[in-house]
Amino acid sequence: MSVTSHPSASARVALVEPRTATGIAGDLLEQIHGTFGATPNMFRAVANSPAALASMWSAFGALGGGTLGHKLGEQIAVAIADRNACEYCLAAHTALGRKAGASSAEMSAAQAGRSDDPKTAAALGFAVAVVEHRAQVRDADVEALRAAGFDDGQVVEILAHVALNLFTNYVNVALQVPVDFPAVKLGAK
């Protein structure tokens, strides 16, 4: 497999050039471009490892077909991005959340881990607890999800969203991937 990449002025790894990437990375970057109409820098950074790119892209696809819906998935993503100070994911998922039908106010509230909708609030509260307590949650945290109407499959799906977003947050923060979505200010800590 051959991948052509160019170092970025601020990224800690090269951002793979989609038009010259071949093999698995080239095929996946083509799919990603088809989905977004562009190739976001995060995927270009991850394309340095075709295995990592395949893992990330397949996780996005699988969770996109899950039962939680795109809007809630994006709300979970911004809550986690804010906790991890990931400007890239906060910007990307705020834009994707708006595209999924969330209002600016809903996305701002989600960034803070809140929602006026009790079911959404339960999911965000659980996701934030998982991140802040490194998955050391209580029985009551899981029971709160059930009381809000989530079944066991959806509890697991929320955890899968958390895990995927931790992966993307860590990639973007550790590798200083340049943000290529409209910037969103991190919440006050």
Side-chain angles (χ1 to χ4, degrees), residues 43-120:
F43 294 109
R44 294 178 60 207
V46 175
N48 283 287
S49 166
L53 183 60
S55 173
M56 180 183 283
W57 188 240
S58 68
F60 275 117
L63 293 174
T67 63
L68 296 181
H70 294 292
K71 180 178 169 182
L72 180 54
E74 300 303 340
Q75 289 170 301
I76 290 169
V78 297
I80 295 167
D82 199 69
R83 296 310 171 287
N84 288 319
C86 182
E87 293 175 353
Y88 191 100
C89 288
L90 182 58
H93 291 289
T94 297
L96 293 169
R98 296 283 292 131
K99 186 176 177 182
S103 69
S104 293
E106 287 174 313
M107 292 309 289
S108 292
Q111 180 181 344
R114 296 188 310 268
S115 174
D116 291 337
D117 173 64
K119 190 169 184 177
T120 301

Side-chain angles (χ1 to χ4, degrees), residues 6 13-14 16 25 29 48 67 83 98 101 107 116 139 162 185:
H6 301 283
V13 297
V16 174
L29 289 174
N48 283 287
T67 63
R83 296 310 171 287
R98 296 283 292 131
M107 292 309 289
D116 291 337
D139 290 344
V162 171
K185 185 176 167 109

